[in-house]
């Protein structure tokens, strides 16, 4: 399953390859499960649009589209959620189209952006900004860019991070995975950051001290940045040809290391079920 660092790397890789290009035509597969917006709307919004930017929001890839007029109400965004097996490829025209291709955007330089998804948990949709005349007051004249449901773990301030967990009576592990609090933190990075912050996954979120939460935020950012950094070097492999298959695996300290000695103290790593997810921790290092 692509996690935040993989999605960030894919978004950056696709951005480098296609920003500034114009989409000339759109083909979609007609498989209803993949399309959260009607396929006719997707084709209509994308055709003729210039790709201003491709970025990551949570675990969603957001393609900002410029539709050629000075009126900023014509900006829309194409949202790509990779699901479990989704891949976003930038391919030269004429190369074989992989099985399970659900969308092809043909660019003005003849290359194609292809969305390929064998298991079809991925989703494609259009996000339209609220027209400015409907915005209530001018103070709130934001750009209406897609922001997703939760806060961005890489840029949230220490105080905002601490505030997220106030009054949260759930285990900290469950709170970290709660996408309406922080978006994009998956099981691996939750377990790894809790280990690095020396916090037990079952601890109640509201009972963590400011110092512990400060440590947790730093650990989370560190593991995410580390994975993004290492993933960046393999961009061309999977964006061009192999999807996310070749993506680097973080050197896990606890995740999937059940029964193996803790790398810091030698105690066997424990595995428990928490919030329906397998959870790995060191019973000695994490308190
Ligand atoms: Zn340990």
């Amino acid at each position: 399953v692509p996690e935040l660092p993989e999605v960030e790397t894919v978004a950056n890789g696709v951005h480098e390859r296609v920003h500034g290009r114009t989409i000339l035509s759109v083909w979609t597969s007609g498989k209803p499960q993949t399309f959260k917006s009607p396929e006719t709307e997707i084709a209509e919004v994308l055709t003729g649009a210039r790709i201003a930017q491709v970025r990551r929001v949570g675990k969603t890839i957001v393609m900002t589209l410029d539709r050629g007029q000075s009126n900023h109400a014509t900006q829309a965004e194409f949202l790509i959620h990779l699901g479990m097996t989704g891949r976003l490829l930038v391919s030269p025209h004429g190369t074989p189209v992989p099985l399970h291709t659900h969308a092809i955007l043909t660019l003005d330089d003849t290359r194609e952006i292809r969305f390929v998804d064998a298991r079809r948990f991925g989703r494609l949709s259009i996000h339209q900004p609220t027209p400015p005349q409907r915005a209530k007051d001018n103070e709130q004249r934001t750009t209406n860019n897609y922001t997703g449901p939760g806060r961005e773990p890489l840029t949230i301030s220490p105080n905002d991070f601490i505030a997220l967990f106030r009054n949260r009576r759930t285990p900290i592990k469950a709170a970290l995975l709660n996408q309406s609090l922080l978006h994009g933190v998956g099981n691996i990075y939750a377990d790894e950051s809790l280990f690095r912050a020396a916090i037990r996954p079952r601890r109640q979120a509201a009972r963590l001290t400011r110092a512990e939460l400060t440590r947790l935020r730093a650990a989370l950012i560190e593991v995410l940045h580390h994975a993004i950094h290492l993933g960046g070097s393999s961009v061309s492999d999977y964006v061009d040809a192999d999807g996310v298959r070749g993506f680097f695996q973080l050197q896990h300290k606890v995740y999937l290391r059940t029964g193996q000695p803790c790398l810091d103290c030698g105690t066997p790593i424990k595995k428990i079920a928490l919030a329906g997810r397998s959870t790995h921790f060191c019973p000695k290092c994490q308190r």
Side-chain angles (χ1 to χ4, degrees):
V1 178
E3 296 277 352
L4 184 153
E6 289 90 327
V7 177
E8 169 99 5
T9 308
V10 172
N12 291 345
V14 172
H15 173 82
E16 277 168 35
R17 283 164 177 76
V18 305
H19 80 275
R21 311 286 0 166
T22 296
I23 299 165
L24 295 187
S25 63
V26 175
W27 171 88
T28 53
S29 65
K31 296 281 192 289
Q33 199 183 339
T34 302
F35 301 94
K36 245 174 90 185
S37 300
E39 287 171 76
T40 48
E41 184 191 2
I42 291 174
E44 191 183 305
V45 169
L46 292 180
T47 304
R50 186 180 149 276
I51 300 167
Q53 191 193 29
V54 183
R55 68 185 200 283
R56 176 193 60 78
V57 175
K59 286 204 256 184
T60 301
I61 297 170
V62 179
M63 186 182 285
T64 308
L65 303 163
D66 223 327
R67 289 195 290 158
Q69 286 147 44
S70 51
N71 179 355
H72 71 272
T74 61
Q75 262 212 351
E77 290 169 317
F78 182 42
L79 308 186
I80 301 136
H81 198 269
L82 298 175
M84 293 183 70
T85 54
R87 295 183 293 155
L88 195 61
L89 312 179
V90 181
S91 310
H93 175 74
T95 52
V97 176
L99 270 179
H100 311 295
T101 296
H102 294 292
I104 301 176
L105 322 182
T106 302
L107 304 178
D108 56 355
D109 62 2
T110 78
R111 285 182 305 159
E112 296 172 355
I113 300 174
R114 297 168 177 174
F115 179 70
V116 182
D117 188 8
R119 295 189 60 186
R120 274 194 259 147
F121 287 103
R123 296 288 178 267
L124 303 179
S125 63
I126 296 291
H127 174 254
Q128 299 270 16
T130 318
Q133 61 267 26
R134 274 202 266 146
K136 275 192 183 133
D137 65 346
N138 287 338
E139 305 278 312
Q140 278 237 303
R141 280 287 290 266
T142 60
T143 51
N144 284 309
N145 284 339
Y146 177 75
T147 52
R151 299 294 301 269
E152 174 55 52
L154 287 178
T155 52
I156 189 169
S157 71
N159 281 337
D160 287 355
F161 186 87
I162 290 163
L164 282 183
F165 302 103
R166 208 172 281 150
N167 304 321
R168 290 273 153 191
R169 293 173 191 281
T170 54
I172 184 61
K173 164 78 186 272
L176 278 177
L177 293 177
N178 182 341
Q179 301 293 303
S180 67
L181 297 179
L182 287 170
H183 56 200
V185 179
N187 208 31
I188 301 172
Y189 300 100
D191 281 4
E192 291 295 316
S193 59
L194 284 167
F195 175 79
R196 283 162 173 78
I199 296 167
R200 284 235 184 167
R202 268 211 189 101
R203 293 269 307 279
Q204 191 187 108
R207 297 193 164 211
L208 294 180
T209 64
R210 287 184 69 88
E212 285 172 325
L213 287 170
T214 303
R215 232 160 53 212
L216 180 59
R217 173 181 165 276
L220 181 59
I221 290 173
E222 185 194 309
V223 295
L224 291 173
H225 271 309
H226 184 56
I228 290 165
H229 176 70
L230 290 173
S233 56
S234 62
V235 165
S236 63
D237 293 342
Y238 62 81
V239 173
D240 285 340
D242 283 337
V244 292
R245 194 168 66 195
F247 199 83
F248 130 92
Q249 289 294 312
L250 183 77
Q251 175 59 51
H252 301 145
K253 293 196 171 182
V254 288
Y255 186 71
L256 299 183
R257 294 194 66 248
T258 312
Q260 295 177 44
C262 170
L263 298 174
D264 287 358
C265 76
T267 304
I269 298 301
K270 270 186 91 165
K271 175 175 150 181
I272 55 170
L274 209 162
R277 309 294 300 271
S278 64
T279 296
H280 313 79
F281 68 101
C282 172
K284 188 167 174 215
C285 292
Q286 292 172 257
R287 294 287 162 189

